[in-house]
Amino acid sequence: MFFNPFVPEDKASLAVIDGRADEEIKDNLIGHGLKIIETCRCEELYDSISYHPDIIMHPITPRKVIVAPNVYDYYSDILPFYGIEVIKGEKKLDRNYPDNIAYNVARISRYAIHNTRYTDEKLKYYIKKQGVDFINVNQGYTKCSLAIVSNTAVITSDLSIHKELIKHGIEVLIIKEGNIDLPGLNYGFIGGATGMFSKNELFISGELGHHPNYIEIINFLKKYNVKPIFLSNHKIVDIGSIITF
């Protein structure tokens, strides 16, 4: 069994969340017993993603995380207090794609999914050291694009990622593009609106009732014995994933 940083074996106790997230979301996370770390602004990124956890960090073990050099000092002052080692990545993030995707790597089963041309080299080293293989895709925002449901199943609206994952035995639920808010942009992505509380519980940033694939999503979660936990009564919003430890 390969460690998946986005599928905790037990209930998480800590969540890293966009510092601008709605107070209702933060309060509900705290209500579920989590300590929360609010992200700081990464000044070099454009505003819509400048606080997104999945843009600036990637967990490599339950107690070790790689962080972009831009914001390393902030997290190296906070996360060790919770027993998490912080490693400085090599790639400094910049405003525009592809210079802002180095750490936005998705993980599923024994695979890491990313446009490997732009993956941070230190992150790549640690992932390969675990015996995890890369699946190269054209999409660079792979963690944003993939909601991890189990260690063998994901939800996405990205057809190109779907095409590659099914070749490797991963079950993929395809949903319609859009229908997820991301302030400043036309729409956000399902991966950026979710994060696992435990291997059987999935945090979702808002209500799914408006989503055209609501029924399919709920049934897909049931298939994998995953309970959705809705963190607000508002429309689902991309907050750069909820990264849990």
Side-chain angles (χ1 to χ4, degrees):
M1 176 66 70
F2 289 83
F3 165 72
N4 188 326
F6 302 117
V7 185
E9 277 298 309
D10 302 309
K11 284 187 186 292
S13 59
L14 180 71
V16 180
I17 186 168
D18 185 318
R20 303 167 299 182
D22 190 272
E23 290 302 317
E24 184 180 4
I25 294 174
K26 296 173 186 175
D27 288 345
N28 276 319
L29 288 171
I30 293 169
H32 280 86
L34 284 92
K35 302 286 186 182
I36 63 170
I37 303 297
E38 297 184 25
T39 58
C40 65
R41 176 179 172 82
C42 181
E43 298 290 343
E44 291 78 10
L45 298 173
Y46 63 83
D47 190 57
S48 293
I49 64 169
S50 61
Y51 284 80
H52 280 192
D54 59 18
I55 292 292
I56 53 86
M57 68 170 59
H58 185 95
I60 49 177
T61 77
R63 290 295 164 193
K64 186 180 294 185
V65 63
I66 288 189
V67 172
N70 314 55
V71 289
Y72 170 79
D73 289 346
Y74 176 79
Y75 296 101
S76 64
D77 282 344
I78 297 173
L79 290 176
F81 178 78
Y82 297 95
I84 297 171
E85 180 184 355
V86 182
I87 298 171
K88 183 188 285 189
E90 293 183 7
K91 170 65 177 175
K92 186 174 181 180
L93 299 175
D94 209 344
R95 177 180 174 84
N96 295 322
Y97 185 96
D99 291 322
N100 56 19
I101 63 170
Y103 306 93
N104 195 247
V105 179
R107 297 277 291 276
I108 184 74
S109 184
R110 59 185 295 269
Y111 303 108
I113 303 95
H114 202 228
N115 186 326
T116 55
R117 181 179 176 184
Y118 303 109
T119 311
D120 176 72
E121 288 300 323
K122 189 174 288 186
L123 175 56
K124 194 181 291 185
Y125 165 79
Y126 277 102
I127 288 175
K128 288 183 175 180
K129 188 178 179 181
Q130 294 175 337
V132 173
D133 294 327
F134 273 89
I135 298 174
N136 183 52
V137 294
N138 288 330
Q139 172 63 263
Y141 297 117
T142 48
K143 178 60 194 75
C144 295
S145 300
L146 290 169
I148 314 299
V149 170
S150 79
N151 215 24
T152 58
V154 298
I155 302 171
T156 188
S157 60
D158 192 300
L159 293 173
S160 64
I161 294 179
H162 166 259
K163 182 179 178 181
E164 290 301 317
L165 291 187
I166 60 174
K167 294 177 184 176
H168 294 83
I170 306 301
E171 184 161 0
V172 183
L173 174 66
I174 285 288
I175 61 173
K176 290 183 179 179
E177 192 174 68
N179 305 288
I180 297 168
D181 284 346
L182 178 54
L185 295 177
N186 292 335
Y187 56 84
F189 300 94
I190 188 70
T194 58
M196 297 207 79
F197 182 26
S198 71
K199 63 182 178 181
N200 297 115
E201 296 164 293
L202 179 71
F203 287 131
I204 302 175
S205 64
E207 287 290 350
L208 277 175
H210 75 283
H211 198 285
N213 298 110
Y214 169 72
I215 298 298
E216 293 96 325
I217 293 170
I218 295 300
N219 287 338
F220 193 71
L221 295 178
K222 285 181 180 177
K223 179 178 180 179
Y224 288 94
N225 193 31
V226 173
K227 174 187 175 183
I229 299 174
F230 303 108
L231 295 175
S232 84
N233 293 317
H234 303 297
K235 184 179 178 181
I236 187 172
V237 59
D238 184 338
I239 53 175
S241 302
I242 301 162
I243 296 182
T244 56
F245 296 90

